[in-house]
Amino acid sequence: LEGPRLNVSHCDQVKEEGLRLLANSDASEMILNMGNVEFIDSSGVGALVALRKAMGEDGIVTLINTHDFVDRVITLTNLSRVFQVRRAA
């Protein structure tokens, strides 16, 4: 993901691009590099959840290079049970 904010202004674009990639692939895992994302709101979380649902029951969404704020949101919303998360070094 490119911008520092995954919020209402950017979530539709992220979701649409992710769904487009999934439609053209039979991948069982989606890896999202969150290294540039310093902020996420409920709309951004919703976009990530939509991508996870689109992966199907056995699909995996991995968030890599996550920053502290994003980690806190994922933990507080209990989505660490839904996504695999690999923190930034």
Side-chain angles (χ1 to χ4, degrees):
L1 303 174
E2 293 180 16
R5 302 176 71 81
L6 181 50
N7 59 11
V8 69
S9 299
H10 302 99
C11 67
D12 286 340
Q13 177 185 358
V14 169
K15 184 169 72 172
E16 289 171 11
E17 179 69 13
L19 293 175
R20 184 187 66 74
L21 290 170
L22 286 174
N24 296 318
S25 172
D26 61 351
S28 61
E29 180 177 16
M30 176 181 280
I31 298 172
L32 299 174
N33 186 344
M34 305 288 285
N36 291 328
V37 179
E38 298 172 1
F39 176 84
I40 188 169
D41 68 5
S42 60
S43 298
V45 169
L48 295 179
V49 169
L51 294 176
R52 172 60 191 91
K53 286 183 179 179
M55 292 293 297
E57 189 174 314
D58 295 326
I60 298 168
V61 174
T62 302
L63 309 177
I64 63 170
N65 298 320
T66 56
H67 290 278
D68 289 340
F69 184 82
V70 174
D71 281 338
R72 283 194 301 271
V73 170
I74 296 298
T75 300
L76 289 172
T77 56
N78 210 25
L79 289 173
S80 55
R81 298 175 70 187
V82 175
F83 301 106
Q84 293 186 6
V85 179
R86 294 189 214 144
R87 289 184 44 85

